[in-house]
Amino acid sequence: MKSTAESRNFTAGRILVVEDDREMARFLDQVLSEEGYAVEVAQDGPAALERVGQSHFDLVISDLMTPRMKGTELIARLKENHSEVPVVVITAFGTIESAVEAMKAGALHYITKPFRTDDFLIHVQRALENHRLHNELDRLRTEVNGRYRFENLIGQSEAMQKVFDVVVRVSDLPANVLILGESGSGKEMIARAIHVHGPRAQAPFVAVNCAAIPETLLESELFGYVRGAFTDARRDRPGLFQEASGGVLFLDEISELSLALQAKLLRVLEDKEVRPLGSNKSIKVDVQLLSASNRDLAQLVQGGAFRQDLYYRLNVIRLELPPLRDRPEDIPLLANYFLEKFAKNSKRSISGIDKDVLAALMRYQWPGNVRELEHVIEHAVLLGNHSSIRVEDLPASCVPVGVQTAPLSAAAAKAYTLRELEREYIQRVLEDAKGNKTEAARILGVDRTTLYRKLEDYKIKG
């Protein structure tokens, strides 16, 4: 059986008690400490302000009548300089006027003495839970704005500036938006930027890759189902349209929808309601639909693979992302952005990119677009041994012939010993042979027994 502290203490935290009555202060300290909270006591307002300025507290519990500073003044000072800390007021002089005054000053709860211990602890738990939820919301908002804010859509090229201009103008509109671009060009990033800067920013953003879910499951994923709709439907489950209601639904690779699902999606867009599988009732939904494709939907319409009426519904506003190869002037900006990101995450002291590396990156055609560039820079940061990224740190696939550094020159630049050079060469050959030890031994000109001995000696996993 759980103890009282274990069953009640949903959100442990640090609490400052402001109370000049020593017996009451001792009582509150004991009650809260038994619940698992870390408690400190201040006898008056100035001392409380000093403590809060020096340490972090999740909650302040203050008597309304304290020496040297009224409780309402203390609350006002806390809200002015430490607005994130909730305050619960306790007092023996409970009047409507004092309650109103305390709440106006910023108190979260108001408790009149004498009080039941259980009631008091419930107020404490609620205050701390409210504090935790506000902190979590602030963290999520910061994360979303940091990752998807418009300024992080990097590009100085004229093509990307036009895209940014469209994003700004589209964000305030309720219309459906069709985002076209090659794989890895940043279609979902654009969709999230539209969401974050639009009127639905505080509502859900729900994304689904239509190509990643089997057709047999995609319908129930989008529209939901009721219990008994099929063998494994043991309970009702809302679909993504319901989850996104009030916000934005992003359908990536929408060209992969079957014609049957296209017809059902069209009906949802026209009627603004969904009917879960197995149900005879429709549910109203309110979503802004953003869709994306790496294929030309107009050509698919001509070939009969995509419904023309659905295409017109989706294509209210069209936004085309240029491939990375058509905007090489953006590559240095993106490369340095990814360098800072991965150097920080991996705690590597790499702070620059050599000029010949940038030249190689700008000559490469980038079939995987921005996503591929991101992976290339991550590879270089993790494997590089210098203060800047060098050509030899890049994957061979993205370095043009004539730019690659000769293997011996690269080894000399890194001051390899013969043992280190042999180890790296064996590992590279094994990787090129896709782990096939017979093929690796043939390329190296040794028998399998020798190769196995080398692998064990160098502790190479193959």
Side-chain angles (χ1 to χ4, degrees), residues 29 80 115 134 138 169 193 276 295 382 387 449-450:
D29 187 355
E80 181 179 351
F115 50 77
H134 275 291
D138 288 342
R169 288 185 284 127
R295 304 170 67 186
L382 294 178
S387 60
T449 302
T450 301

Side-chain angles (χ1 to χ4, degrees), residues 254-255 257 259 262 297 300-301 304-308 310-311 314:
I254 198 169
S255 58
L257 290 180
L259 288 171
Q262 290 177 33
L297 293 187
L300 294 179
V301 168
F306 203 87
R307 292 180 62 104
Q308 186 177 57
L310 177 59
Y311 173 67
L314 300 175

Side-chain angles (χ1 to χ4, degrees), residues 394-434:
L394 300 177
S397 59
C398 68
V399 181
V401 176
V403 177
Q404 296 183 23
T405 303
L408 290 178
S409 298
K414 294 182 178 181
Y416 279 169
T417 64
L418 285 174
R419 180 178 173 83
E420 289 171 336
L421 182 59
E422 183 180 46
R423 184 187 188 284
E424 182 162 327
Y425 182 60
I426 291 174
Q427 188 166 351
R428 177 65 62 85
V429 169
L430 191 61
E431 289 174 358
D432 291 343
K434 301 187 185 316

Side-chain angles (χ1 to χ4, degrees), residues 237-257:
R237 180 181 174 183
L240 297 181
F241 268 94
Q242 288 174 259
E243 288 185 21
S245 191
V248 172
L249 177 62
F250 175 59
L251 298 183
D252 197 7
E253 304 306 344
I254 198 169
S255 58
E256 301 303 313
L257 290 180

